[in-house]
Structures are given as C-alpha cells and as structure tokens.
Amino acid sequence: GLYAWYADPGYQVIWAREGAGASVSIEQSPEGRRRLRTNNGFAEGGEGGAWSQIRQGLLPTLLRPDARRVLVLGVGSGITAAGAVAGLPAASFDAVELLPEIRAALSFFERAN
C-alpha cells in the first residue's frame, strides 16, 4: 500500500481504502465520533466538528433563501451538505463527490446526516 495507516492518539482506523484519486480512512474516537482523513494527513471533517460544518452549509442559504435547485460539489462526510438541506428544505439537491474512495466512505457518516 501507499501508506502505513495511522490515527491520532486515542483514535483507531476503522476503515481504509487506497485508490487512484486518493487514499481515504475513517478514524473513530474513544467516544465513537468519526472523521474522514485523506492521504493519511488531511482531516476532512466529521462528527466532532458537525455543528461548525452544518453552519458552513447554512451560510449560502442565507444569501439565496429562494434557491430551488442546488449543486453540492465535494460531498466529503456529507455533514456540510446536510446544513444546506436544512436551510433550504424545499430545494432540490444534487450532490457530487468526484473521488470514488470518499464516496465509498459516506455510509460511515449516516448517523451525522
């Protein structure tokens, strides 16, 4: 493999996948919070920062509260997109994740979404 998978102290790697686009892992804290990591270095976000990510998703809805069709590009854990959905409940959403390795990891964040 490309990486020796590691997790921050106290966390454990519960899933990992290497692909052409990225190497992706899911880490879990002792409390059960999950986060997404790409290329064994960059933490994409996760349940520990959910409130912050939800607020990020809500921000564009304040600028266009009348939006009826929304494209979310780069879904990641899906938590930020969930904020946008909450802010525009009547809108139609298309969500696109370009990296199949991250798309495969989305189900690990179902409870956060």
Side-chain angles (χ1 to χ4, degrees):
L2 295 174
Y3 297 101
W5 296 102
Y6 74 91
D8 290 341
Y11 282 76
Q12 66 177 9
V13 175
I14 61 169
W15 182 86
R17 179 170 294 173
E18 292 181 13
S23 294
V24 176
S25 65
I26 305 295
E27 299 176 354
Q28 187 166 290
S29 74
E31 300 81 26
R33 289 188 307 260
R34 295 175 178 173
R35 65 182 178 193
L36 179 65
R37 185 185 291 266
T38 56
N39 297 329
N40 215 22
F42 184 71
E44 299 284 347
E47 295 168 341
W51 289 113
S52 157
Q53 293 171 83
I54 289 169
R55 283 193 306 264
Q56 284 180 324
L58 282 168
L59 183 60
T61 72
L62 299 174
L63 302 173
R64 281 297 308 267
D66 59 337
R68 295 291 167 241
R69 186 116 195 249
V70 179
L71 171 65
V72 177
L73 181 58
V75 176
S77 67
I79 298 170
T80 304
V85 170
L88 297 170
S92 171
F93 281 80
D94 292 305
V96 178
E97 177 53 62
L98 300 176
L99 297 172
E101 300 81 15
I102 291 179
R103 195 170 49 243
L106 254 172
S107 64
F108 286 92
F109 297 97
E110 285 179 352
R111 65 183 180 205
N113 292 312

